[in-house]
Every structure is written in structure tokens, then in C-alpha cells.
Amino acid sequence: MLNGVILGGIIIVDINIKIGGEAGQGIQTIGSVLSRTFVRDGFYVYGNQFYLSRVRGGHNYFHIRVSDHPIYALDEKIDVLVALDNQTIPEHIEEVKEGFVLADESIVGDNVSENTVSVPFTEISKDVSDKKLFSNTVAVGAVFGLLCYDLSTLKKFLSETFKRKGDEVVEKNIKAAQAGYDYVINGKFEGICNYNLNPQPTKRRILINGNDSVGVGALAAGVQFLSAYPMTPSTGVMTRVAAHADDFNAVVEQAEDEIAAINMAIGASFAGVRAMTTTSGGGFCLMTEGLGLSGITETPVVIFLGQRPGPATGLPTMTEQGDLNFVLHAAQGEFPRCVLAPRTAKDAFNQTRRAFDIADKYQIPVLILSDQHLADGLFTYERFATSDLKINRHLLEDRFVGSDYQRYTITESGISPRAIPGQNGALVVADSDEHNEAGRIDQTTGNRIRMNEKRLRKVDGLTDEMQMPVIHGIDGADISLIGWGSTYGSLAEAVDILNRDEVSINLIHFSDIYPFSHDTVSLLDGLNTTICVENNATGQFARLLRAELGFEVSKKMLRYDGLPFTPQSVIRELKGMGVI
């Protein structure tokens, strides 16, 4: 049996593995080892995790999808379910239609069936190492046994991973993996293997999640200062930048709170370095006054916001697109801002680099909206191209900086030439009160109008360079899904499935959220039935389309249970709506 679908006469590999267990049982370790081994062997992997907000216990899982074609979403069917606790089998057995359940004998209990493969993980681990420490590696070997998959890449990966811990640790891990493999393929379950999964010869690819892509994108953009207070699901951006800070001459500061974090970033930016801060919804609440400070002082700053279901602590480790309205209206007063929402990890890399350029060019705050689904989602790509990257700081050249320099010079574009304090002897004055062109407090009505209009004129230029949404699927379709941010993978795959079934449907997906490109309204007005799909309860993006463009969607598809859409859930909803 080969798990996959047939497209144009070509069989596409499509295998789903889910590892379930309690927090602290090594679910991520097994998932990471499996994912990275498959990627090294030329497969595309998409992975994500569900975890509760606790250090130990509860029911968590890691889902891996393996294919020989690019994939950006999870599938609801499971081919191999690895159960590390008693809750995994009853919780997920309905997802295992034609696949296998792999579990320690102590867990299987009364759940024995012809598709149950019980392997004594702990006992095998003790046999090869005198310790139960290597039980997870036994489980990894058993998974490869079930897939009839060659162990050579896994052994090499284990050697490299545990090299720092010494030869004995490397040897015992390899023995554990081999023993788990042999138990399934040569022992009690000989002949059960019926998958056909072979390494794919290709050049090496990378496996990267959304947070790491934002961090790498920031480094590629020349970030020199990042300040943040750790908060799920955004913390990974800070740790990624911190891991490479020395190599890129950057400073990462863990602030005492989010108020300090954003003000540190603004201060660093005022002093002349590219700066960003990262947070989640609750932390952004504390940053709103700083956001306004960036607005009136026209100090560039990039703010990464990893959304999670609120209000308050809400569901801190789950996903939602519930903060769009918040970021659009946060802080008092009126000032220009830009909001970007990457759709994939690669898009996160590119949009983060772009965010710094926009912030510097227009001297405004730029917000990057992500969520747990994108932050933790693992994507497979060719290495990102970086050789042609250029950094433009949009700063005034020394030869144009004189003693008469004024930080807030009135211009037609609204963008005042920006010099760095001390540059060529210039005095750069800024004030959070309304100020005149020189940066001095000025409360006269005429000055207020001139400065307010100057700042708001930047929106015209910003709108000119905002990118149009991508269109996925057939042109001129009868039905158009409209989405934004992290929903891209599931919606695009749902469209692909339905197009194969000759349903006339496509996807209009936004990554540039605010302001919209000038041409957006003409694109939307040419659509037929439109369904806005969002991970929130009130249809915030549909409301934005109506408010900004006067465009009313035909229907909304909303999910707000803390889980992401899947291609299958989208199709079920469309059928339930009666539109397909």
C-alpha cells in the first residue's frame, strides 16, 4: 500500500504521523527527530503541535505530515499514531482509518486490534542501555520499521545530534533505534509493513518554523537591537535572534516588562539602529502607549505580535486571529501604521525584512501579526536566497546634514529627512508633545494641523507600495475564499482538492493587511460568491474590508475554538453552507 493521492497520473506520497502523550514525555523530541530525518532524505515535511499551558501532564500531540511535494497544512487522517500515554488512543483513534497505532504494551490495554502494534519501548531501552532513557529513540526506530524505511539517515542524524554527549550516548541511541526497528520489521510484527516510502534524491532543504523565520528575517534585515519580555507564542523570535546575536553584531535585551521593551526599542531606533520588539496580545496591551510614542516622534520600530486566544490569559498555547482590530486601533490619536500578516514561514522571512524597510522609509511603527499556528508550524524549503539582499536605512547622508537641520521638516510626502543624533554635528530634537519642525513643543493650532497632516500624508505613499493579495486556484471562479495570515496553507489545499473535483473555487489571500493596495477594491469587485475565512468569532477582516473598501463578503466562515483550520474542515464547512 502506498499512502498518497494520484494527481495527473502521478502518485504523491502523503503520510501523517501523530505522537500523543503528556507534557514532559518527549513528544517534541520524537517529532523533531522524525521530521528532520525525513527532510534530510528529500521529503517535504509540515508539522505542528498542540500543547497545553503546563510543564508536565495533560494531553499534547505533535503532528507530522510527510510528502514528496510541497505541503503547508495538516491532514486530518492519521497513518501512524504513536501513543505515549493512556489518553492518546481513545482521543485520536477515530482519525486512524487505515493506519496503525504504535504504543508501549503497558498503554495498549483493551485497545488491541489488527492495526495495533505494541512495542515494549521501556523494556527494549533497558535491554540496550540499562536505562529507560532511550525509550523515545526506540519509538522512533519502531515508526521507521512500520514505514519500512531505511535507518541510515536516522543513524547519521543521531550521531550528529548526540556527538557532544559522547560516543557512548551516540551508540546507545543508535542501538535503541535499531532495536525498535527490528522489533517491528523482523520480530512479532514481521510482514506488517506495507508502506512504500523511499528517500528522495535532492539537494538539502531546511526545516523551519514561523518564529525562526521571523528571527532570521530580522537578522537579514540588519536588526541590531531586540528587546522583549517572553510571552507565548512570540518568544521563539527573541531566542532565535539571541542565538545569533554575536555573529550579527546585535543586542538582545530581556526587559522587565512590555512597557520597557517597546520603549527600549524606540530609544534604540532613535539612536540610529534597526530595532524591534516581540510580544503577544496581553503584552501588546502594555505597549500601546509606546506605540503612540513611535507614531508622534516618527521613530521607526518593528513590533512582532504572536496572537493567541484572549481575552486576558485566554488559551495561551493555542491559536486565533483575534487581535486584528486591536492592532489597527491601538494607542490614542491618529497616526500612520502598517500591518503585515505572513502566510507561511517563507513569507514571514520576507515580510520581516520588508517590515524594517517600511518602518525606516516612512518612519512609522510596523506590526507583524502572527499566531501560534504559524509560530510553531514547521515548513520545508530550499535555503532562503540572501545573496541579493540589500539594506536601505533611508537616512540622510552626512553631506546634507547641517547646523540648520530640523527633524520634522514639512514635506509633500510627509516624510521628513531623518538624521541620527550627533550625525555630522546635527542637533536632533524629538518630543512626544506636539512639536514644530525643529522638534520643539508647539501647541498652536496652525502647527497642530500642519504636523498632523504631514504625518498622515505618509499613508498615500505607503498605500502605493502595499502588495496585492495572492490568487490561488482558477481565475474567474464561481466561489472565492478570502483569507489572511496563517490560514493560507489550509485554504489553498482545500481549493486544490475542490478544483480536482471540478468545483469552481479559488482563494484570495492577504498578507499586506493595512493599508490595502490601491487596486484591491477592483479585484474584489470582480469576484462572485465570496466567503471570508478567519480564526476569530466576529469576522474582523471582513469588517476591515467593509470599513476600508466598502466591500461586503457574501458569507463568513469563522473558527474560534483555539484550533487552526484544516483543508478537510474548510470543505465540510463549505458543504454545510450549501455553496458546494
Side-chain angles (χ1 to χ4, degrees):
M1 180 176 73
L2 174 63
N3 271 40
V5 294
I6 301 175
L7 295 177
I10 302 173
I11 300 175
I12 293 179
V13 172
D14 192 356
I15 290 180
N16 287 267
I17 303 167
K18 182 174 280 188
I19 306 109
E22 297 180 356
Q25 284 192 297
I27 295 169
Q28 279 191 314
T29 301
I30 297 175
S32 178
V33 172
L34 288 170
S35 300
R36 295 185 187 284
T37 303
F38 284 127
V39 169
R40 284 191 175 202
D41 273 344
F43 288 100
Y44 291 91
V45 169
Y46 178 82
N48 216 317
Q49 56 182 324
F50 171 88
Y51 57 104
L52 299 174
S53 180
R54 61 184 70 175
V55 177
R56 298 191 69 85
H59 177 66
N60 306 327
Y61 58 80
F62 195 109
H63 189 153
I64 304 165
R65 187 178 178 193
V66 184
S67 177
D68 52 2
H69 282 61
I71 45 175
Y72 306 106
L74 296 177
D75 196 299
E76 292 186 355
K77 73 176 178 66
I78 301 299
D79 299 295
V80 178
L81 175 65
V82 183
L84 301 181
D85 69 348
N86 292 321
Q87 195 174 343
T88 297
I89 295 178
E91 188 82 21
H92 300 284
I93 192 64
E94 291 299 318
E95 303 164 54
V96 185
K97 302 298 183 185
E98 298 177 353
F100 293 94
V101 176
L102 178 65
D104 191 277
E105 290 177 335
S106 62
I107 291 173
V108 171
D110 297 330
N111 297 297
V112 177
S113 72
E114 60 180 6
N115 292 339
T116 302
V117 180
S118 60
V119 177
F121 299 144
T122 303
E123 186 179 321
I124 292 175
S125 176
K126 289 180 177 177
D127 285 345
V128 300
S129 67
D130 295 328
K131 298 178 181 177
K132 63 179 181 180
L133 182 64
F134 301 94
S135 299
N136 287 345
T137 310
V138 175
V140 172
V143 170
F144 282 122
L146 267 176
L147 299 175
C148 308
Y149 197 81
D150 187 85
L151 281 187
S152 56
T153 301
L154 173 63
K155 291 177 178 177
K156 185 177 180 182
F157 180 78
L158 292 172
S159 298
E160 294 172 1
T161 302
F162 296 107
K163 184 179 180 180
R164 288 182 300 173
K165 296 187 176 181
D167 292 341
E168 184 180 358
V169 175
V170 170
E171 182 183 352
K172 287 181 176 178
N173 269 286
I174 291 176
K175 279 186 176 179
Q178 186 69 57
Y181 183 88
D182 290 342
Y183 190 90
V184 171
I185 205 163
N186 296 326
K188 179 179 177 182
F189 298 98
E190 184 176 2
I192 196 171
C193 161
N194 54 8
Y195 292 89
N196 184 11
L197 193 64
N198 298 307
Q200 306 288 301
T202 185
K203 57 184 177 183
R204 191 165 177 174
R205 300 190 177 103
I206 61 172
L207 184 69
I208 191 167
N209 66 32
N211 270 352
D212 283 346
S213 288
V214 172
V216 174
L219 291 167
V223 66
Q224 292 171 278
F225 183 81
L226 185 151
S227 49
Y229 184 81
M231 191 169 186
T232 302
S234 66
T235 309
V237 175
M238 178 174 66
T239 55
R240 173 55 60 187
V241 175
H244 301 284
D246 290 343
D247 298 329
F248 287 82
N249 194 29
V251 172
V252 175
E253 174 71 17
Q254 180 173 323
E256 61 267 37
D257 58 35
E258 287 83 355
I259 299 173
I262 190 169
N263 286 308
M264 284 180 181
I266 291 171
S269 179
F270 177 74
V273 301
R274 282 197 155 171
M276 77 180 299
T277 184
T278 66
T279 189
S280 184
F284 187 66
C285 292
L286 299 176
M287 290 185 175
T288 54
E289 189 171 5
L291 180 71
L293 178 64
S294 167
I296 196 166
T297 61
E298 303 183 50
T299 307
V301 66
V302 173
I303 303 167
F304 173 79
L305 194 163
Q307 300 170 97
R308 69 189 204 187
T313 310
L315 299 171
T317 58
M318 300 177 77
T319 199
E320 195 164 277
Q321 295 178 307
D323 294 343
L324 177 57
N325 281 342
F326 184 30
V327 302
L328 290 171
H329 304 291
Q332 72 275 30
E334 301 166 298
F335 58 92
R337 69 190 72 188
C338 177
V339 181
L340 308 174
R343 54 178 65 96
T344 63
K346 187 173 184 178
D347 195 35
F349 173 79
N350 291 324
Q351 289 286 41
T352 301
R353 291 192 301 106
R354 190 163 159 253
F356 281 95
D357 189 63
I358 292 172
D360 272 353
K361 183 176 181 180
Y362 293 95
Q363 302 167 25
I364 59 173
V366 177
L367 296 113
I368 303 171
L369 268 185
S370 180
D371 49 44
Q372 182 273 329
H373 184 56
L374 176 58
D376 294 330
L378 288 169
F379 298 77
T380 309
Y381 296 111
E382 310 299 331
R383 288 182 179 274
F384 296 153
T386 57
S387 58
D388 295 332
L389 298 184
K390 295 180 181 177
I391 297 174
N392 186 347
R393 295 297 319 278
H394 302 282
L395 295 170
L396 197 57
E397 296 180 24
D398 284 349
R399 59 195 174 100
F400 297 122
V401 180
S403 58
D404 59 345
Y405 173 75
Q406 296 191 113
R407 172 66 184 90
Y408 300 107
T409 300
I410 299 286
T411 64
E412 186 175 346
S413 67
I415 302 171
S416 304
R418 181 176 171 226
I420 301 302
Q423 182 181 355
N424 208 26
L427 179 64
V428 180
V429 178
D431 199 300
S432 64
D433 284 67
E434 189 57 276
H435 43 255
N436 57 24
E437 292 182 80
R440 307 288 185 187
I441 295 175
D442 187 339
Q443 293 184 303
T444 59
T445 55
N447 176 71
R448 166 63 176 178
I449 292 171
R450 284 194 298 274
M451 296 308 294
N452 216 17
E453 290 182 346
K454 182 195 90 73
R455 291 189 290 266
L456 293 175
R457 278 201 297 276
K458 297 177 186 178
V459 177
D460 292 336
L462 179 59
T463 303
D464 287 339
E465 64 180 82
M466 296 303 281
Q467 297 175 352
M468 290 286 284
V470 298
I471 303 175
H472 183 87
I474 59 177
D475 291 332
D478 293 337
I479 304 164
S480 291
L481 303 180
I482 296 176
W484 63 280
S486 69
T487 59
Y488 174 78
S490 296
L491 298 184
E493 185 164 339
V495 166
D496 288 340
I497 294 170
L498 293 171
N499 283 170
R500 290 199 295 270
D501 292 338
E502 300 184 347
V503 177
S504 179
I505 188 169
N506 64 12
L507 168 65
I508 313 297
H509 202 272
F510 290 76
S511 186
D512 281 18
I513 304 300
Y514 183 84
F516 288 121
S517 168
H518 286 299
D519 297 327
T520 305
V521 67
S522 60
L523 168 67
L524 295 176
D525 283 344
L527 302 178
N528 296 305
T529 300
T530 54
I531 302 166
C532 194
V533 187
E534 303 184 55
N535 258 136
N536 59 55
T538 57
Q540 296 183 22
F541 191 70
R543 189 182 304 171
L544 180 64
L545 292 173
R546 183 173 63 239
E548 291 293 315
L549 306 175
F551 180 80
E552 192 79 43
V553 299
S554 308
K555 296 176 182 291
K556 300 173 190 171
M557 184 189 299
L558 307 174
R559 182 168 191 171
Y560 41 95
D561 57 359
L563 299 175
F565 288 100
T566 64
Q568 292 76 22
S569 70
V570 172
I571 293 171
R572 280 197 302 272
E573 287 286 323
L574 290 172
K575 290 179 179 177
M577 291 178 175
V579 295
I580 61 172

